[in-house]
Amino acid sequence: MLFNILAPAVGLATLVAGHGAVTSYQIGGTAYPGYEGFSPATSLKTIQFQWPDFNPTMVVTDAKMRCNGGVSADLSATIKAGENVTAIWKQWTHAQGPVMVWMFKCSGAFASCKGDEKGWFKIDQMGMWGTQLNSENWGTAIVLKNLKWSSVIPKNLAPGNYLIRHELLALHQANTPQFYPECAQLVVTGSGSATPPADFLYSIPGYAPQSDPGIMVDIYGSKATTYTCPGGPVWSGFQSS
Ligand SMILES: *[C@@H]1O[C@H](CO)[C@@H](O)[C@H](O)[C@H]1NC(C)=O
């Protein structure tokens, strides 16, 4: 009897410990602490939207898809277009699935910037290399190994206030996608003037249907030898609207 009562609690603890979230950033040589508690909570002011837990979002239309349930942060980091943003995960456990990094241009102050328009564009992504979905040749396997991911802010990007969103999509469970997105606030500087054309812009949540073959996939049973990330290609910064 005792075991029957204990078993689910142990299972839950393992599950919570097993996933992950972005917990800090390295930007232009400066370390920015991120959110590390479980909101709502009082914690240090950070550049990152507070998020509720390490658990995945399972459905692309869930409101948590945008920034893991977080809302505007108190601080922002300044970065010159062309420099790198490095996201750091305190823990991450899955080796199959893509890494996708998105940005969203705020129309004004961060306090009113919710990312709730069709304005999200990708600046970086890595799906799978090689030909076997059931391998560890995936972007998220690199995060598992290094616990960090570096992306270049497109060098021509127009200056302004932006949200940056790091998304890990774990595909280790057949036809049971797990999304892990977190957001932070960046003031981009520089002399660029480019903004992504409309066909690079997406709404989040809902950037792809749940049935997208990059989302609803059985990596063990699939005969596919290539993988296409959901949500379209990366905007290089050279095409402009
Ligand atoms: C900047 O990010 C790119 C990947 O987008 C990477 O190739 C490069 O090594 C990074 N540079 C630094 C200094 O981290």
Side-chain angles (χ1 to χ4, degrees):
M1 277 320 228
L2 186 58
F3 290 113
N4 286 345
I5 293 164
L6 280 178
V10 171
L12 185 64
T14 307
L15 192 70
V16 169
H19 303 298
V22 176
T23 44
S24 64
Y25 299 85
Q26 183 86 28
I27 297 168
T30 305
Y32 291 88
Y35 184 65
E36 291 195 25
F38 293 150
S39 68
T42 50
S43 70
L44 284 178
K45 290 186 188 333
T46 73
I47 67 166
Q48 190 185 33
F49 283 28
Q50 287 195 2
W51 35 266
D53 53 49
F54 278 149
N55 292 327
T57 299
M58 315 295 288
V59 180
V60 291
T61 51
D62 191 320
K64 281 182 72 191
M65 268 299 277
R66 191 176 301 142
C67 296
N68 195 1
V71 293
S72 299
D74 295 299
L75 308 178
S76 57
T78 298
I79 182 167
K80 211 169 148 207
E83 291 184 338
N84 276 24
V85 172
T86 303
I88 296 162
W89 287 257
K90 213 164 207 180
Q91 62 171 56
W92 176 246
T93 42
H94 307 302
Q96 285 95 18
V99 176
M100 297 176 275
V101 185
W102 302 73
M103 291 181 79
F104 177 94
K105 190 170 202 292
C106 300
S107 53
F110 285 117
S112 57
C113 185
K114 297 179 169 51
D116 56 354
E117 290 153 69
K118 191 176 175 186
W120 289 96
F121 56 95
K122 282 182 185 165
I123 60 160
D124 190 17
Q125 67 183 359
M126 185 178 286
M128 184 192 74
W129 66 95
T131 56
Q132 286 186 281
L133 272 63
N134 181 15
S135 71
E136 297 198 353
N137 299 337
W138 288 94
T140 50
I142 295 174
V143 175
L144 176 64
K145 179 165 172 262
N146 298 338
L147 292 176
K148 60 184 182 182
W149 189 267
S150 257
S151 309
V152 183
I153 301 296
K155 165 163 123 265
N156 301 336
L157 184 66
N161 291 348
Y162 288 84
L163 305 181
I164 187 163
R165 174 180 179 275
H166 286 83
E167 174 178 12
L168 305 183
L169 167 51
L171 299 173
H172 59 287
Q173 282 189 292
N175 299 315
T176 312
Q178 301 185 353
F179 300 91
Y180 298 84
E182 282 81 35
C183 299
Q185 297 176 167
L186 297 181
V187 179
V188 174
T189 62
S191 54
S193 58
T195 53
D199 52 343
F200 286 91
L201 301 179
Y202 289 81
S203 298
I204 301 177
Y207 67 70
Q210 186 80 4
S211 60
D212 187 292
I215 293 175
M216 197 52 74
V217 55
D218 172 358
I219 63 163
Y220 310 99
S222 171
K223 301 269 189 292
T225 54
T226 59
Y227 173 83
T228 303
C229 295
V234 164
W235 176 64
S236 68
F238 292 105
Q239 316 93 320
S240 190
S241 63

